Amino acid sequence: MAFKHVTVFGGSGFLGRQIVKSLLVEGVNIRVAVRHPERASFLKRMGREGQIELVRANVWEESTVARAVKKSTWVINTIGHYVEKSGATFDAIHGQGAHNVARQAGNASVERLVHISGVGADSDSDSAYVRARGIGEDLVKGAFQGVTVLRPSVLFGPDDSFFNTLAGLARQAPALPLFGMGRTKLQPVFVGNVAEACVRVLADPSTQGRVYELGGPRIYTYKALMKLVLDQVGKRRALFPVPFFVWDTLAALLSVLANPPLTRDQVKLMKSDNVVGEAALTLEDLGIDPTPVEEVLPTYIHRSSNPSAA
């Protein structure tokens, strides 16, 4: 891979940083395409002199996308949002934005395109997020022949927004609410495994045109994950069920805020399981053993100084 040039859209994000790190080990030259290159300057310290180039690109502006993919051998699109804000709608990011990247990659005669989507992506879903992911996949497949799609489940690892948020709540709140009975199933996947999957895919031409669903080695209920976090931070907290209609009402009330802490679509997501399909290609098909949550969580979620605190 030493003479390859890779453009990573969203390379400064949680997953993007890990992908950049994994590619650096392979010796490739990397162009990180982000809206604010000045905020991604820390990435340049990760590679050798000149190995990482930062460029401004906005997936809504095709001219900037075209410049970002120019003379690239491979392109990886990691850009995604869980919350719509400031005009950055799911359709704009996961749909039209992803289409722009794929179309310009094709125009630039890029050899390989890896598109990061999500488990459960479905263009017919009643969830705006899941529906946009599905529409985005369809658009990308139509614009770039042989695109490889990776659908990770909930990502975890240092600086994640999932377990770190739960740990913060566990440390501060006297009791913790569950979505419904807490029975929604999740299959968290280590961010390092997903980054490695990108490298394996690019190194193997037989992965072209395939879709891989990436999950960890275990499936948990939301309640089980809450208990896991409580054990890790050393706290005892009551877990109480909250009916989904209550969550729906709360999300509707909060929707008037500029940056609501909970959205109606997030509630919809918690009503459905987020696990790898039985017939799907997985991490194992790429020769990767999924890393358990229990192995990584203690490295960044630490016990409180007073474990017996109520």
Side-chain angles (χ1 to χ4, degrees):
M1 292 189 177
F3 300 102
K4 303 294 185 181
H5 294 263
V6 187
T7 294
V8 182
F9 285 88
S12 63
F14 175 56
L15 173 58
R17 293 194 302 271
Q18 291 298 318
I19 291 174
V20 168
K21 185 177 179 179
S22 294
L23 288 170
L24 287 173
V25 174
E26 303 297 328
V28 302
N29 292 309
I30 303 170
R31 180 181 294 151
V32 177
V34 290
R35 285 193 298 164
H36 304 285
E38 67 279 2
R39 300 178 188 176
S41 59
F42 65 93
L43 290 172
K44 303 194 80 168
R45 297 191 294 270
M46 295 169 57
R48 66 176 185 273
E49 182 69 25
Q51 190 177 8
I52 295 179
E53 175 189 5
L54 304 177
V55 299
R56 191 191 79 81
N58 188 328
V59 293
W60 306 331
E61 301 172 8
E62 282 200 79
S63 60
T64 67
V65 174
R67 288 195 294 271
V69 300
K70 187 177 181 180
K71 296 183 179 180
S72 290
T73 313
W74 301 328
V75 170
I76 303 171
N77 183 15
T78 76
I79 295 177
H81 291 302
Y82 286 101
V83 179
E84 295 180 307
K85 57 183 178 180
S86 303
T89 66
F90 294 139
D91 287 335
I93 296 294
H94 301 143
Q96 191 57 48
H99 185 221
N100 290 343
V101 171
R103 180 162 54 191
Q104 292 304 324
N107 290 344
S109 298
V110 168
E111 293 179 9
R112 297 290 306 276
L113 172 64
V114 177
H115 175 70
I116 306 297
S117 182
V119 163
D122 180 0
S123 58
D124 294 322
S125 174
D126 64 349
S127 160
Y129 171 82
V130 174
R131 183 172 61 252
R133 280 294 197 189
I135 291 172
E137 286 188 16
D138 293 340
L139 291 172
V140 167
K141 290 174 184 177
F144 192 97
Q145 185 174 7
V147 59
T148 302
V149 177
L150 300 183
R151 295 175 173 173
S153 185
V154 178
L155 293 167
F156 73 89
D159 301 321
D160 71 39
S161 60
F162 184 70
F163 283 117
N164 278 296
T165 298
L166 293 183
L169 291 172
R171 292 188 180 102
Q172 300 298 325
L176 300 172
L178 298 172
F179 286 93
M181 297 300 293
R183 294 172 181 162
T184 303
K185 295 178 181 178
L186 304 170
Q187 194 172 354
V189 59
F190 178 46
V191 65
N193 289 158
V194 178
E196 180 61 22
C198 285
V199 175
R200 297 286 180 96
V201 160
L202 291 173
D204 183 357
S206 72
T207 62
Q208 293 186 74
R210 295 184 175 181
V211 177
Y212 294 83
E213 296 198 349
L214 312 181
R218 287 187 58 190
I219 295 174
Y220 307 79
T221 63
Y222 181 75
K223 184 176 182 179
L225 288 174
M226 290 291 288
K227 289 182 176 179
L228 188 65
V229 171
L230 284 169
D231 180 66
Q232 186 58 45
V233 299
K235 295 290 186 180
R236 295 191 298 271
R237 298 287 187 256
L239 301 177
F240 61 95
V242 176
F244 276 107
F245 78 84
V246 175
W247 287 108
D248 287 328
T249 302
L250 178 60
L253 293 172
L254 292 172
S255 65
V256 300
L257 301 177
N259 293 297
L262 179 74
T263 68
R264 284 179 257 198
D265 206 67
Q266 287 174 323
V267 176
K268 282 184 181 179
L269 290 175
M270 288 306 301
K271 293 179 181 179
S272 301
D273 296 338
N274 190 268
V275 299
V276 171
E278 291 184 4
L281 295 170
T282 65
L283 285 170
E284 287 90 340
D285 292 294
L286 294 171
I288 299 171
D289 292 326
T291 304
V293 170
E294 293 83 355
E295 183 177 314
V296 180
L297 200 60
T299 67
Y300 66 99
I301 301 294
H302 306 292
R303 294 180 71 85
S304 303
S305 58
N306 183 8
S308 62

